[in-house]
Amino acid sequence: MHVPKDELEGNEKRPSLETVLGDLLDFEKLKYCSGCGICTAICPMAKLLPEFYNPRILLHNIPRGDEKVLKSPQLWLCAWCYHCYRRCPQNLNLPEIFQIVRRFAVECGYMEGFHRALEIIRKNIPLPVSCSYVCFHPERVIKNRQIVSEAIQQAVLNYTPENTEDASVIQSNENKVAIIGSGPAGLSAAHDLAKKGYSVTVFEALPLPGGMLRRCIPKYRLPKKLIDFDIMRLTDLGVEIKTNMPIGGKLNVKTLLEQGYDAIFVATGAHEDQNLTIEGKELSGVFNALDFLEKTNKKDVKLLNRVSVIGGGNVAVDSARTALRLGAKEVTILYRRSSEEIPASPWELKEAEKEGIKIEFLVAPKRILGENGKVTKIECVKMALGEQDVTGRRQPVPVEGSEFVIETDTVILAIGQFPNTVFLPKTVEITKQKTIATNPFTLETSSPSIFAGGDAALGSATLMEAILAGKQAAFSIDYYLRGLPLGPLEVVDKVFGVEKGGF
């Protein structure tokens, strides 16, 4: 799949990388990036893989247009969280810049970087299969999904305990650690703690492990059978996973400590839906988004003609795109702020619009109307942006007299989630945002021996941020149990590493 360099140079019809970028980008703006480093500082992949990935260095090398850039695995390690784009003072859209270069590399026959990236993912990320499908998106360039799946299978799925390097690095340790929740943060912490030799038990309330990976990520993004591979890697390391074990009542934090667990990591995610005070939400045909996604992941659901999704995050977009795949003829997302404020991934929004999903900005629901107990319409009101709120975004304000009605058969409420913390002892501090208060570097809570991370502490986070939190927690728990001092410098140096990522 490689085109020799002399053939590339002899093909006068193939434009240079600089020409391609010049046609599609503000090339001078790209070339003279100020190098402020914000993109790297907030990039979860740069923190997870500092030896292999640095978006600032990659961006600086792109204008050279040489083979090193085209062959680099760095091109394939962007996880598309768009944090860099949202915070870049020059508004450079790094994920889509890297996408353009990926596409050019594939057109030129350079696939080395893609295959090397898969190896890096397999060796360094605790949930390599799930991440390969959910975060790195090679199929956005290599349109043949069969080729992508086969490459991931060859690099990641062809696994037995005998051929993995994990078994050779497991240490020996007598301490026991309990992890509450088997989502990405909990499983990542379990992975790293098991490799350090700890006896790790994961407690999961649901019948199958995986948390939000299994419950809510749509099947078209992550085939559910592939989650089992990531789980198998952990059980082969000695991690015990106990399902159908909700925490609360007889089994709680206190009883876990009494059973001899030396540390507890709370990684329960954010599964409680924000309460939308709106008339008609009890009507048949009105769903909370997580319940809707969970239901559709378990069985096929047929939807009627018109679906309305209320919200603007990735869960709202996932719900809308899932509804379209379930037979809905018309799907509309209603978002109360403007296109500049919408938190969903820009790429997912573009894909949703390409599929025919409508996005109505500056619109909020006022009440849900129905007949015979079934939803039939939503009464909405137009919004205008006023003063900034605590998030720094301008507060939406209803426009008087702007009410209008949308006919609909199904309403999906995707207005955000928060964690369930009622099972925690009162010594664990809870924030005003209903998340668990933690030391941002060590993930320690206000109660000794209890740590927390992922959505339970961060609020809504990406898959990579949850994995990073799990690895961060494992490092901190290890230091805590060994009685070693743990401060910000230790975490930054030993978990996040130094700024690296050259070719």
Side-chain angles (χ1 to χ4, degrees):
M1 303 184 74
H2 169 67
V3 180
K5 181 180 178 182
D6 57 351
E7 185 177 334
L8 287 175
E9 292 175 343
N11 189 344
E12 296 180 357
K13 295 183 179 180
R14 177 172 288 131
S16 68
L17 176 57
E18 183 169 347
T19 301
V20 172
L21 292 178
D23 291 340
L24 298 172
L25 304 167
D26 183 343
F27 194 71
E28 289 302 306
K29 186 177 181 182
L30 168 65
K31 187 174 181 180
Y32 293 105
C33 162
S34 63
C36 66
I38 289 176
C39 57
T40 299
I42 63 174
C43 175
M45 288 308 303
K47 294 174 181 177
L48 275 169
L49 302 175
E51 295 184 7
F52 303 102
Y53 184 69
N54 185 311
R56 183 177 62 83
I57 292 176
L58 178 58
L59 186 67
H60 280 190
N61 280 282
I62 282 175
R64 300 177 185 176
D66 59 21
E67 287 187 349
K68 287 185 177 181
V69 175
L70 298 176
K71 294 179 179 179
S72 170
Q74 287 206 66
L75 279 177
W76 302 90
L77 292 176
C78 170
W80 290 71
C81 65
Y82 283 92
H83 291 340
C84 53
Y85 170 54
R86 298 185 194 279
R87 295 290 297 275
C88 175
Q90 293 179 269
N91 207 37
L92 291 174
N93 193 332
L94 270 64
E96 296 185 18
I97 290 171
F98 299 158
Q99 176 85 330
I100 292 168
V101 185
R102 283 187 191 184
R103 186 177 297 115
F104 185 73
V106 171
E107 289 173 357
C108 293
Y110 290 107
M111 294 291 291
E112 298 96 321
F114 169 55
H115 293 290
R116 285 169 57 203
L118 288 177
E119 281 297 310
I120 291 169
I121 293 165
R122 181 182 69 83
K123 292 180 179 179
N124 295 277
I125 293 180
L127 306 173
V129 178
S130 299
C131 291
S132 294
Y133 278 87
V134 174
C135 297
F136 299 110
H137 306 299
E139 77 283 354
R140 292 179 181 175
V141 168
I142 308 166
K143 295 299 183 182
N144 188 328
R145 194 173 178 87
Q146 179 73 18
I147 292 176
V148 173
S149 296
E150 289 177 358
I152 293 174
Q153 180 174 350
Q154 182 177 357
V156 185
L157 287 178
N158 288 346
Y159 158 91
T160 62
E162 291 76 23
N163 69 21
T164 179
E165 65 281 356
D166 287 346
S168 64
V169 298
I170 297 178
Q171 305 167 14
S172 178
N173 197 302
E174 295 180 355
N175 292 103
K176 294 170 57 179
V177 180
I179 295 176
I180 304 175
S182 69
L187 295 179
S188 298
H191 173 273
D192 283 18
L193 287 166
K195 289 180 67 173
K196 294 177 184 295
Y198 291 100
S199 175
V200 181
T201 304
V202 178
F203 296 89
E204 169 56 51
L206 298 176
L208 293 172
M212 297 292 261
L213 289 174
R214 194 182 298 276
R215 183 186 177 199
C216 297
I217 292 181
K219 289 184 287 188
Y220 73 86
R221 291 180 61 194
L222 177 63
K224 299 308 164 186
K225 64 180 180 179
L226 297 177
I227 301 172
D228 296 331
F229 169 80
D230 285 331
I231 303 298
M232 180 184 69
R233 282 171 54 97
L234 296 174
T235 56
D236 285 341
L237 287 173
V239 174
E240 182 180 10
I241 301 177
K242 295 185 177 181
T243 56
N244 294 308
M245 296 287 285
I247 302 297
K250 292 182 179 179
L251 183 64
N252 54 46
V253 170
K254 181 180 178 182
T255 57
L256 290 175
L257 294 173
E258 290 173 349
Q259 290 173 13
Y261 289 98
D262 301 290
I264 295 174
F265 178 48
V266 181
T268 48
H271 296 265
E272 302 294 317
D273 290 291
Q274 297 283 359
N275 184 32
L276 179 65
T277 305
I278 184 173
E279 179 185 337
K281 68 178 183 179
E282 75 286 347
L283 290 169
S284 175
V286 179
F287 298 90
N288 287 318
L290 296 188
D291 294 336
F292 170 77
L293 291 171
E294 182 176 21
K295 184 176 181 180
T296 58
N297 274 331
K298 289 181 178 179
K299 62 180 181 179
D300 292 332
V301 177
K302 292 296 182 183
L303 294 180
L304 297 176
N305 294 329
R306 297 158 299 192
V307 175
S308 300
V309 181
I310 300 171
N314 287 328
V315 172
V317 178
D318 280 347
S319 298
R321 297 183 71 188
T322 297
L324 204 64
R325 285 161 172 77
L326 293 174
K329 299 296 187 296
E330 182 180 311
V331 181
T332 304
I333 295 174
L334 306 175
Y335 181 59
R336 62 181 185 151
R337 288 186 166 96
S338 71
S339 59
E340 285 73 27
E341 284 87 12
I342 193 165
S345 160
W347 177 273
E348 299 298 336
L349 288 169
K350 289 178 184 177
E351 291 299 293
E353 289 182 304
K354 283 182 183 178
E355 292 172 357
I357 293 169
K358 300 177 183 178
I359 305 176
E360 296 283 353
F361 295 102
L362 292 170
V363 168
K366 193 170 182 180
R367 58 178 177 156
I368 302 173
L369 306 173
E371 295 178 3
N372 300 319
K374 177 73 175 66
V375 60
T376 57
K377 300 175 182 179
I378 304 179
E379 182 181 346
C380 299
V381 61
K382 294 182 179 180
M383 310 294 283
L385 296 180
E387 299 296 324
Q388 288 186 346
D389 61 16
V390 293
T391 68
R393 296 180 298 175
R394 294 171 64 192
Q395 183 71 22
V397 180
V399 176
E400 188 175 352
S402 64
E403 289 82 1
F404 63 100
V405 171
I406 296 175
E407 294 188 354
T408 190
D409 303 292
T410 302
V411 176
I412 301 172
L413 306 176
I415 59 171
Q417 296 78 38
F418 63 92
N420 176 7
T421 58
V422 297
F423 65 89
L424 291 171
K426 293 182 179 179
T427 53
V428 175
E429 181 184 352
I430 306 300
T431 71
K432 292 180 180 179
Q433 290 74 39
K434 301 180 182 180
T435 57
I436 303 171
T438 62
N439 179 310
F441 291 98
T442 66
L443 302 189
E444 295 170 292
T445 70
S446 54
S447 185
S449 75
I450 300 176
F451 299 73
D455 287 1
L458 294 171
S460 180
T462 65
L463 172 56
M464 282 303 168
E465 287 173 315
I467 290 174
L468 185 62
K471 294 180 73 66
Q472 189 176 349
F475 176 85
S476 296
I477 290 170
D478 176 46
Y479 260 50
Y480 167 77
L481 293 177
R482 289 194 288 148
L484 299 175
L486 183 62
L489 291 180
E490 286 86 1
V491 176
V492 170
D493 288 344
K494 297 179 181 179
V495 179
F496 298 156
V498 296
E499 185 174 290
K500 298 179 183 178
F503 295 112

